[in-house]
């Protein structure tokens, strides 16, 4: 820089050959710098502060949002934990209900089977009794038919006469 | 008065007018028994599509020489009047009326074999003592009784047949 400024100068020194130029330049620079310091620097500083404040606010908001998100995440995790517990409870209850239903169904099936068995046994007993009665009746019919034929064939005149005499005596006695 | 009773009374008056009521009633009774025992004879004599004269001829052929003319005439009249099917009932009423005229009750006696006169006499006496009055026996042979005797007097039945004993045996089973 110094070498550049020196190169500008015709006397090859640091300051220009005309010292007034230096003073005018210094004055102009001071005026410009003063104007800048008076008008521009406060505005720029305020802008920078506002921006810093905004960024800080945004950071705070972001932090708050992150905290809220974390809290929500925690809540969700807690809810997930509750849901798991609920699911476990529901599954447990379902298993209990299923076991009870299974037991009830087994009891009912057992009772139905017992009732069916008893009914079938009773029906068999009735059928057996009926068959026995039918057989007995049929046998008695056959036996009586045979007896009737045998009696009819063996009733000779003497027997017939005996039956008639017996009848007459019975009628006479009944009077 | 039913037509059965009317016919029975008319027949009894005719028989009494002819003077041999007891014999005619007895022959009518025999014919009634035969008719009751034979579905075929009942069908023929009760066949309305058959000419009345033809039916009367059948009666005369059946009874001619075996029964009194009065009996043949009465049966012929009933058959011609279309009363062949009711003839057993008419005869039963006739027998009842004939017996009551003589102050007697009718005893219908069925046996597997014919009863001798002596047996009939003793049975009549036994029945008289049993029912407390004079009894007129109408005996018939009925093989279905198998053995023994059954007597019906009004609503009273005195059953001493082998058939009834076998029936009782069947009931016991």
């Amino acid at each position: 820089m110094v070498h550049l400024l020196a190169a500008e100068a015709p006397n090859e020194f640091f300051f220009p050959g005309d010292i007034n130029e230096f003073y005018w330049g210094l004055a102009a620079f001071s005026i410009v710098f003063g104007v800048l310091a008076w008008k521009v620097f406060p505005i720029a500083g305020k802008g920078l502060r506002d921006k810093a404040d905004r960024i800080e606010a945004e950071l705070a908001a972001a932090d708050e949002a992150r905290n809220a998100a974390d809290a929500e995440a925690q809540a969700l995790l807690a809810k997930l934990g509750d849901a798991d517990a609920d699911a476990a409870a529901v599954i447990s209850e379902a298993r209990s209900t299923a076991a009870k239903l299974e037991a009830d169904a087994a009891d009912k099936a057992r009772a139905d089977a017992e009732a069916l068995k008893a009914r079938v046994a009773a029906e068999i007993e009735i059928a057996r009794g009926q068959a026995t009665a039918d057989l007995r009746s049929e046998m008695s019919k056959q036996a009586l038919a045979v007896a009737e034929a045998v009696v009819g064939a063996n009733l000779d005149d003497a027997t017939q006469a005996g039956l008639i005499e017996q009848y007459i005596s019975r009628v006479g006695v009944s009077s | 008065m039913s037509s059965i009773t009317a016919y029975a009374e008319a027949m009894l008056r005719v028989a009494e007018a002819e003077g041999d009521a007891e014999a005619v009633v007895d022959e009518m009774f025999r014919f009634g028994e035969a008719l009751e025992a034979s579905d075929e004879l009942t069908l023929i004599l009760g066949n309305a599509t058959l000419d009345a004269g033809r039916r009367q001829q059948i009666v005369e052929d059946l009874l001619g020489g075996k029964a009194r003319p009065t009996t043949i005439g009465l049966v012929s009249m009933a058959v011609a009047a279309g009363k062949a099917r009711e003839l057993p009932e008419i005869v039963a009423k006739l027998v009842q009326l004939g017996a009551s005229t003589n102050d007697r009750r009718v005893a219908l006696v069925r046996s597997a074999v014919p009863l001798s006169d002596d047996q009939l006499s003793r049975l009549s006496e036994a029945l008289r003592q049993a029912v407390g009055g004079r009894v007129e026996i109408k005996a018939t042979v009925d093989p279905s009784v198998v053995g023994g005797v059954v007597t019906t007097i009004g609503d009273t039945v005195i059953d001493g047949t082998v058939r009834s004993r076998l029936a009782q045996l069947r009931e016991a089973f």
Side-chain angles (χ1 to χ4, degrees), chain A residues 140 144 148 151-152 155 160-161 163-168 170-172 174-175, chain B residues 112 119 122 127 129-130 146-149 151 158-160 162 166 169-170 173:
Chain A
S140 67
L144 284 169
E148 203 168 322
V151 167
L155 281 178
Q160 290 282 10
L163 286 169
I164 292 167
E165 291 301 326
Q166 192 180 15
Y167 179 79
I168 294 169
R170 186 159 66 91
V171 172
S174 69
S175 62
Chain B
Q119 287 170 331
R122 283 186 289 119
L127 288 171
Q129 291 176 4
V146 185
V149 182
T151 302
I158 306 169
D159 198 338
V162 173
L166 288 169
L169 196 60
R170 188 179 289 112
F173 277 100

Side-chain angles (χ1 to χ4, degrees), chain A residues 1-171:
Chain A
M1 185 65 163
V2 174
H3 290 295
L4 284 172
L5 288 171
E8 289 286 326
N11 56 2
E12 297 181 358
F13 288 100
F14 179 72
F15 292 108
D18 188 357
I19 197 70
N20 289 324
E21 191 179 343
F22 172 73
Y23 289 132
W24 283 107
L26 182 63
F29 177 76
S30 298
I31 289 165
V32 169
F33 186 77
V35 168
L36 286 172
W38 179 42
K39 289 294 182 183
V40 177
F41 286 174
I43 294 170
K46 187 175 180 297
L48 285 172
R49 279 195 303 276
D50 289 346
K51 190 173 180 181
D53 289 344
R54 197 167 59 246
I55 288 168
E56 195 174 342
E58 285 175 357
L59 284 172
D63 195 33
E64 191 177 344
R66 195 190 67 188
N67 289 335
D70 284 346
E72 195 172 349
Q74 289 300 323
L76 285 172
L77 285 172
K79 279 186 182 174
L80 279 174
D82 291 345
D84 285 347
D86 287 347
V90 167
I91 289 169
S92 173
E93 190 177 340
R95 280 181 182 153
S96 171
T97 304
K100 188 173 181 308
L101 286 174
E102 191 180 1
D104 288 350
D107 288 346
K108 189 175 182 307
R110 226 177 345 260
D112 288 348
E114 288 297 326
L116 182 63
K117 207 164 105 180
R119 195 168 71 239
V120 168
E123 284 174 0
I124 288 171
E125 193 57 37
I126 290 168
R128 185 185 295 156
Q130 185 62 47
T132 305
D134 289 348
L135 184 61
R136 188 177 295 151
S137 172
E138 188 58 33
M139 284 175 67
S140 67
K141 276 182 191 171
Q142 297 292 336
L144 284 169
V146 171
E148 203 168 322
V150 170
V151 167
N154 287 286
L155 281 178
D156 55 16
D157 291 346
T159 310
Q160 290 282 10
L163 286 169
I164 292 167
E165 291 301 326
Q166 192 180 15
Y167 179 79
I168 294 169
S169 299
R170 186 159 66 91
V171 172

Side-chain angles (χ1 to χ4, degrees), chain B residues 46-86:
Chain B
N47 187 354
T49 61
L50 204 63
D51 181 63
R54 176 74 186 117
R55 281 181 278 152
Q56 285 178 308
Q57 185 60 51
I58 292 169
V59 171
E60 285 170 15
D61 289 346
L62 282 171
L63 298 178
K66 298 173 189 170
R68 288 168 173 74
T70 306
T71 304
I72 297 172
L74 290 174
V75 173
S76 182
M77 179 269 295
V79 168
K83 295 290 179 185
R85 292 176 195 279
E86 290 91 341

Side-chain angles (χ1 to χ4, degrees), chain B residues 80-140:
Chain B
K83 295 290 179 185
R85 292 176 195 279
E86 290 91 341
L87 202 49
E89 285 181 78
I90 293 170
V91 168
K93 189 69 182 175
L94 172 65
V95 170
Q96 191 182 343
L97 287 172
S100 64
T101 302
N102 298 318
D103 197 25
R104 286 183 292 190
R105 298 179 67 183
V106 177
L108 300 175
V109 177
R110 294 176 186 276
S111 57
V113 294
L115 272 64
S116 66
D117 291 341
D118 176 55
Q119 287 170 331
L120 283 171
S121 174
R122 283 186 289 119
L123 179 59
S124 178
E125 178 58 23
L127 288 171
R128 188 189 66 76
Q129 291 176 4
V131 300
R134 295 174 64 196
V135 172
E136 182 179 327
I137 288 180
K138 295 294 180 189
T140 55

